[in-house]
Amino acid sequence: MNFLRQVAYNVLFIGIFLLAWPYFTYRLRKRGHLWGDFSERLGFYSGDLRRKLHGGCDLWIHAVSVGEVALASVLLRQMRETRPELRVVLSTTTQTGQRVAKKLEDERTTVIYNPTDFLWGVVSAFDTIKPKMLILVESEIWPNYLWSAKRRGIPVCLLNARLSPRTEARYRQLRWFCRPVLQLVDLVFAQHPSDIERLVAAGFASEAIFPIGSLKYEVADLPENNGTSIEEWWPRIGWTAENLVLLGGSTHAGEEAILARIYRTLREEFPRLRLVLAPRHAERGGAVRELCEEMGLATVLRTDLGTPAAPEASDGKPVEVLVLNTTGELRAAYRKAQIVFIGKSLRAKGGQNFIEAARVGVPVLVGPNMQNFAHLAVEFLSRGGLVQVLDEFELAQRLRELAGSAERRTELGRRAEHIFSSNLGAGRASARIISRYLEVESASGAARN
């Protein structure tokens, strides 16, 4: 039955891939990396890479993009505190993930692209990498990876396991196929105890699940390294310590207009109030500035602050609104804010990560749509470290309350920072369990020999 399952999967996968081939070719050619990307994605590796990996590695960490690479970096950081000699292969799917991963590359860390889940490509990857353990980040379950690992006796770990309601429903619908595959995962690091029942129902083995917390806290706690320091350009805005800064972080279309309307009303009552808008997609910065200027707000882009000259908005007025149209600077900007609203929660579904703001002890508000961060939101709400609003009207009310009460802002920020600090430790726990598992596997292998 297992053999037939594998044959059926591979035939179906090849068929779907062939249908999608023109689209993938177009995307890769457009980026100018057709063969450079695709060779490793098909399991073809250079002689230099094969020679570098001749002796194999301890861990093969399979990530997708920037977020998963950040989680992987936390694990590497913790494991190398006790095992500095650890040899690691870190693979990514996206080019943005690859660029970030390359910053971690050294003589002990090799960065490659993930092979597509063709049987021959995955077999070639395993033959080249020869890992002692395969680590999949969050939700990357690919059958040929698991089957290939098991044929070689290589344990598999699912790091910071994430199971969306949609994926859970799909696993249940295809339980006859998915359950035998998911049972091949040896270690599942759940983000919350309430995830255990859902993971088991999806098909994972109950004895493999360890609820150790979310690595996202550790990611938020990593040292900041974004090139130009915010202290170099922030003073150029012309705002002082007396100003009260409201920051809209990772906003989506429609949310900037809401914050601008609220700001325009509140500035009459709080003349020292200023607004920072950080759209989730930095390329929308120009459109956001135009929106604010049409509403009569003196606005400047972050990219216009590149010179020491004191900035002015296009109409010559002192700056009221800053549009953060860059990537990698939002985390530092949270330190300059006194109130933060997190986007994709009022006019879009899913929400965005708010714990980077909580980390610096600033009061955080979100809208009703926090599906992608449900566990985090519930914990912060239950412990009084987050404010959730239903609509624009309630958001305006809560912002007015916070703008008028330094004591309330301080209390909310203190609670948020305390909740953040109390949730650190998942990275160390993950590293400890993986290290112990590798030791036991090594001892067992030596005994068998």
Side-chain angles (χ1 to χ4, degrees), residues 353-389:
N353 194 344
F354 60 86
I355 59 177
E356 288 185 343
R359 172 180 177 265
V360 299
V362 62
V364 181
L365 300 93
V366 297
N369 303 311
M370 292 296 293
Q371 295 88 344
N372 293 345
F373 301 88
H375 288 321
L376 297 179
V378 168
E379 177 166 11
F380 274 76
L381 286 168
S382 66
R383 297 172 65 179
L386 185 69
V387 176
Q388 189 168 39
V389 301

Side-chain angles (χ1 to χ4, degrees), residues 32 34 81 105 123 176 187 262 285 298 342 347 354 357 363 370 405 427:
L34 180 58
E81 285 187 4
E105 194 167 32
V123 167
W176 59 272
L187 296 171
I262 294 174
I342 300 296
R347 281 292 181 268
F354 60 86
M370 292 296 293
S405 175

Side-chain angles (χ1 to χ4, degrees), residues 99-157:
R99 284 194 291 270
V100 174
K102 283 290 185 181
K103 297 176 183 178
L104 303 174
E105 194 167 32
D106 55 30
E107 68 279 2
R108 300 164 300 164
T109 307
T110 302
V111 177
I112 63 173
Y113 278 102
N114 287 319
T116 307
D117 202 34
F118 292 116
L119 180 58
W120 67 84
V122 174
V123 167
S124 173
F126 272 95
D127 289 344
T128 302
I129 297 169
K130 297 182 283 293
K132 295 178 181 176
M133 176 180 279
L134 171 65
I135 298 178
L136 308 173
V137 180
E138 288 205 314
S139 58
E140 286 300 294
I141 301 295
W142 294 99
N144 278 322
Y145 280 77
L146 299 184
W147 290 325
S148 296
K150 286 307 153 185
R151 280 193 290 269
R152 291 165 171 76
I154 297 170
V156 178
C157 171

Side-chain angles (χ1 to χ4, degrees), residues 190-199 209-213 375 379:
Q191 298 185 39
H192 195 274
S194 63
D195 287 332
I196 296 176
E197 184 177 350
R198 295 176 56 241
L199 288 165
I209 302 173
F210 295 81
I212 62 173
H375 288 321
E379 177 166 11

Side-chain angles (χ1 to χ4, degrees), residues 224-240 245 247 274-279 300-312 319 321-337:
E224 295 176 16
N225 184 20
N226 297 318
T228 304
S229 169
I230 192 171
E231 303 303 334
E232 294 182 25
W233 59 266
W234 184 267
R236 299 172 190 166
I237 309 173
W239 300 346
T240 70
V245 177
L247 190 155
R274 299 293 183 266
L275 177 63
V276 176
L277 295 173
V300 68
L301 295 174
R302 156 67 182 99
T303 50
D304 292 336
L305 300 175
T307 59
E312 290 183 344
V319 175
V321 180
L322 167 68
V323 177
L324 196 65
N325 63 327
T326 54
T327 58
E329 294 186 313
L330 176 58
R331 184 176 171 188
Y334 283 137
R335 293 186 178 277
K336 298 296 184 179

Side-chain angles (χ1 to χ4, degrees), residues 10 19 24 28 33 54 95-96 104 108 154 162 187-188 213 288 317 389 391 404:
N10 280 286
L19 290 175
F24 287 133
L28 290 171
H33 295 278
H54 176 70
Q95 286 188 318
T96 52
L104 303 174
R108 300 164 300 164
I154 297 170
R162 179 170 59 86
L187 296 171
V188 181
V288 173
K317 296 180 182 177
V389 301
D391 51 29

Side-chain angles (χ1 to χ4, degrees), residues 1-13 117 119 143-144 146-147 151 174-184:
M1 183 58 155
N2 187 49
F3 173 75
L4 293 176
R5 185 181 294 112
Q6 293 184 38
V7 170
Y9 170 79
N10 280 286
V11 170
L12 183 62
F13 186 85
D117 202 34
L119 180 58
N144 278 322
L146 299 184
W147 290 325
R151 280 193 290 269
L174 299 174
R175 188 177 181 84
W176 59 272
F177 175 83
C178 293
R179 181 177 176 79
V181 174
L182 299 178
Q183 291 277 315
L184 298 177

Side-chain angles (χ1 to χ4, degrees), residues 246 256-267 273 275 295 346 391-397 399-400:
L246 164 62
E256 296 95 359
I258 290 173
L259 288 170
R261 283 195 296 269
I262 294 174
Y263 170 74
R264 192 170 54 178
T265 300
L266 292 181
R267 69 177 177 174
L273 185 65
L275 177 63
M295 298 176 70
L346 203 60
D391 51 29
E392 179 178 351
F393 177 75
E394 187 177 3
L395 177 60
Q397 284 185 312
L399 289 176
R400 176 176 285 105

